[in-house]
Amino acid sequence: MIVRESYGDVVRYHTWNRSARIAGLSVSAYRIRDVLIDCAFPQLRAEFAVLLRTEPVRGAIVTHAHEDHAGNVPLLQEMGIPVQLAPDTAAALAHPAPLRAYRRLTWGSPRPLGGPVTPFADPTLALAPAPGHSPDHHVVWDASTGTLFSADLFLGVKVRLSHAYESPRTTEQELRRWVAVAPARVFCAHRGLVPGAAKALHTKAEWLAEMIGRVADAVARGESDRAITRRLLGGEDRTGIVSFGEYANVNFARAVRAGR
Ligand SMILES: [Zn+2]
């Protein structure tokens, strides 16, 4: 399912399928000045191909290799659409790791990228590293309109769900960096247009700093990761359980313990 929303010069392609809907998930690709930012998930391939034929783009920018953002890079390649993506992202897409069932069922499994993509760059859209969410994670900055496409940098204020490789401290620094830039608009890949823009990024940075401090104090007092997760992070929800801990609140406590 693709729902098209217009925000002046920006189009949001809000996408989901039945299983993502049941899991309460959706993801958005964006379009600005005929450039696509991210390309939805593998199961949406046929629908996304129709969209790209109806509304052609000059090129695409892909923020990171997670399958809900980069799931149709092989399709872009087949359609001859040039793509900008970081070398780490390209390497991950060339050899996708097998996904656990909850991700396969929600988004579908990506096909490996067949050879290098045709490179793309737009001088007005900067692909900026933001590696707190994943080592290859980037945001897209449009200085001409003060618009930040924040990919998975924001997601919401009180987000504790983490992958094992996430770095909450890095995410906090990145949020503060973008607060200083003061974007007029922030488009999140999951939340859509973020009300309050820079103010919302600031609120999240403050919450993260406080939570990192509280978890670090508990670690220093000798509390276990599980106990910290129960007492400070709200325990584990359904996602933590169905992912067998791959995407879980306990990973936040582990990251703080590891100094990330
Ligand atoms: Zn992601």
Side-chain angles (χ1 to χ4, degrees), residues 42-239:
Q43 274 185 9
L44 204 71
R45 184 176 187 280
E47 217 177 320
F48 214 71
V50 171
L51 172 80
L52 290 171
R53 277 193 282 272
T54 320
E55 302 185 22
V57 292
R58 291 188 284 123
I61 304 176
V62 172
T63 57
H64 63 303
H66 284 161
E67 68 278 8
D68 48 336
H69 298 255
N72 286 298
V73 175
L75 171 70
L76 300 175
Q77 193 179 34
E78 283 163 24
M79 293 181 79
I81 296 169
V83 182
Q84 181 178 19
L85 75 186
D88 284 5
T89 305
L93 296 181
H95 305 284
L99 298 180
R100 290 213 171 143
Y102 78 103
R103 286 169 71 173
R104 240 178 16 242
L105 293 171
T106 308
W107 305 120
S109 284
R111 288 179 300 145
L113 198 52
V117 294
T118 306
F120 174 75
D122 181 302
T124 65
L125 296 169
L127 184 64
H133 171 71
S134 67
D136 75 322
H137 182 254
H138 290 67
V139 296
V140 177
W141 172 238
D142 173 20
S144 68
T145 61
T147 303
L148 180 68
F149 296 92
S150 60
D152 286 348
L153 172 63
F154 178 69
L155 299 177
V157 173
K158 298 180 181 180
V159 177
R160 301 162 295 248
L161 269 179
S162 305
H163 299 95
Y165 44 73
E166 288 195 35
S167 168
R169 287 187 169 91
T170 306
T171 297
E172 185 208 332
Q173 287 163 14
E174 288 156 5
L175 288 162
R176 296 203 189 280
R177 173 190 165 199
W178 287 105
V179 169
V181 173
R185 293 184 297 184
V186 175
F187 288 97
C188 171
H190 294 276
R191 291 298 191 91
L193 181 64
V194 177
K199 196 160 176 281
L201 302 183
H202 175 75
T203 305
K204 178 170 177 126
E206 290 291 298
W207 179 84
L208 260 181
E210 191 198 324
M211 192 50 76
I212 290 166
R214 291 174 69 187
V215 171
D217 287 348
V219 168
R221 283 197 307 271
E223 244 180 278
S224 72
D225 292 333
R226 291 282 167 204
I228 292 169
T229 304
R230 276 195 304 273
R231 189 171 66 80
L232 294 175
L233 303 173
E236 292 298 353
D237 67 6
R238 193 173 55 164
T239 307

Side-chain angles (χ1 to χ4, degrees), residues 19-25 102 161 236-245 247:
S19 37
R21 200 61 166 176
I22 289 165
L25 296 168
Y102 78 103
L161 269 179
E236 292 298 353
D237 67 6
R238 193 173 55 164
T239 307
I241 293 158
V242 299
S243 73
F244 296 101
Y247 192 40

